[in-house]
Amino acid sequence: MNLPRPTQHFHHDGFDIAFIDEGDRDADPILLVHGFASTLRINWVQPGWVQTLTREGYRVIAFDHRGHGETSKSYATTDYTPTAMASDAAALLDHLGIPRAHVFGYSMGARVSAFLALEHPGRVATLIFGGLGIGMVEGVGDWDPIADALRAPSLDDVTHPRGRMFRAFADQTKSDRAALAACIETSRQELSPQDVSRIAQPTLIAVGTTDDIAGDAQGLADLMPDAQAFDIVGRDHMLSVGDRTFKARALDFLKEHPL
């Protein structure tokens, strides 16, 4: 396996943002936007997405969200709105001189990608939403216990099942839990049906059939003018990320919609 080069950094909105830029610089670019409490390496490198996409001839750009990974942190909830986080994605494209790209977001990254498409539509050629369906509109349940779990003294103090899952993940990845707690307060802003109906780019929405976080993929696709749903059979929210059927469908989708 060819490992990506070390991260590069650029400055935007007070944050030092870590990113990678892999593959042929003259190829069609795809921007990867990771999920909550994850990183570019956990979400995209380790499951093989960067290798898969570069091997298929794409230029692959991925970054660590503010508050995550190697990017600098903030403890102010106002820094973590989807609009603010989408502005980092647009600024990275500016930094690299990329006028337009495919955009692929997972979970929280799908939400950020939707905001990017609404606020900078000319920059987004196509969209892939992984791990987030109608939850983008209807919400994804009560996430306050996750913020509480992240702020708890230890995992032993957390009883909420989803809270325990995210706290254990944050501990495993040695994340800044206070920054993640601030992020979860404001990053889960919902979009209205009218908002998503204005996302005109061709869109693939992929959700695991045992994912209890994302919400139905078809329900979101039905609100959009040019969207299709894909069921990742037998996969939950975490295991959907690197699923081989998801990779195959994503590659087909990208080939169906060249830049």
Side-chain angles (χ1 to χ4, degrees):
M1 176 177 174
N2 295 321
L3 294 174
R5 292 183 289 274
T7 49
Q8 304 176 59
H9 293 259
F10 81 108
H11 197 73
H12 176 250
D13 196 28
F15 290 88
D16 185 51
I17 298 174
F19 70 95
I20 57 172
D21 181 5
E22 300 293 318
D24 182 355
R25 297 299 183 270
D26 295 323
D28 284 358
I30 181 166
L31 177 66
L32 307 180
V33 189
H34 72 72
F36 173 71
S38 192
T39 68
L40 70 86
R41 296 193 184 277
I42 293 168
N43 208 144
W44 304 119
V45 177
Q46 292 173 11
W49 278 106
V50 173
Q51 183 183 36
T52 296
L53 290 163
T54 53
R55 188 174 58 222
E56 290 295 319
Y58 293 95
R59 178 181 180 180
V60 180
I61 301 103
F63 67 102
D64 283 339
H65 284 297
R66 51 180 67 192
H68 294 69
E70 296 177 37
T71 292
S72 53
K73 312 301 187 286
S74 167
Y75 307 105
T77 58
T78 52
D79 282 330
Y80 294 103
T81 65
T83 292
M85 298 173 87
S87 76
D88 294 335
L92 177 54
L93 294 178
D94 289 341
H95 176 73
L96 296 174
I98 296 173
R100 193 164 175 261
H102 301 289
V103 178
F104 179 2
Y106 194 82
S107 195
M108 180 185 77
R111 190 183 305 278
V112 171
S113 299
F115 274 80
L116 178 66
L118 286 168
E119 294 168 13
H120 306 273
R123 312 303 298 274
V124 179
T126 68
L127 288 160
I128 301 175
F129 296 154
L132 190 60
I134 196 61
M136 187 179 289
V137 173
E138 296 180 351
V140 288
D142 182 9
W143 281 57
D144 290 337
I146 295 173
D148 294 339
L150 290 165
R151 293 186 175 112
S154 75
L155 180 62
D156 293 338
D157 298 296
V158 181
T159 57
H160 187 273
R162 192 181 291 181
R164 282 187 63 85
M165 179 178 72
F166 277 94
R167 172 56 186 264
F169 187 57
D171 286 348
Q172 176 190 343
T173 57
K174 297 180 171 58
S175 297
D176 186 323
R177 293 184 290 103
L180 294 183
C183 177
I184 200 61
E185 297 283 357
T186 48
S187 64
R188 62 185 194 265
Q189 179 184 340
E190 294 158 13
L191 288 165
S192 70
Q194 293 74 25
D195 290 330
V196 295
S197 73
R198 293 189 292 110
I199 300 175
Q201 292 89 344
T203 303
L204 174 68
I205 305 165
V207 171
T209 57
T210 63
D211 187 331
D212 64 352
I213 293 175
D216 179 55
Q218 189 62 56
L220 181 62
D222 289 343
L223 297 176
M224 300 173 67
D226 190 6
Q228 52 191 281
F230 177 73
D231 291 333
I232 309 171
V233 177
R235 298 294 195 182
D236 63 15
H237 194 71
M238 297 297 188
L239 292 178
S240 291
V241 179
D243 182 82
R244 62 180 179 80
T245 67
F246 182 17
K247 287 180 182 155
R249 183 65 194 97
L251 290 175
D252 286 345
F253 172 79
L254 291 168
K255 288 172 186 171
E256 292 160 10
H257 300 94
L259 204 60

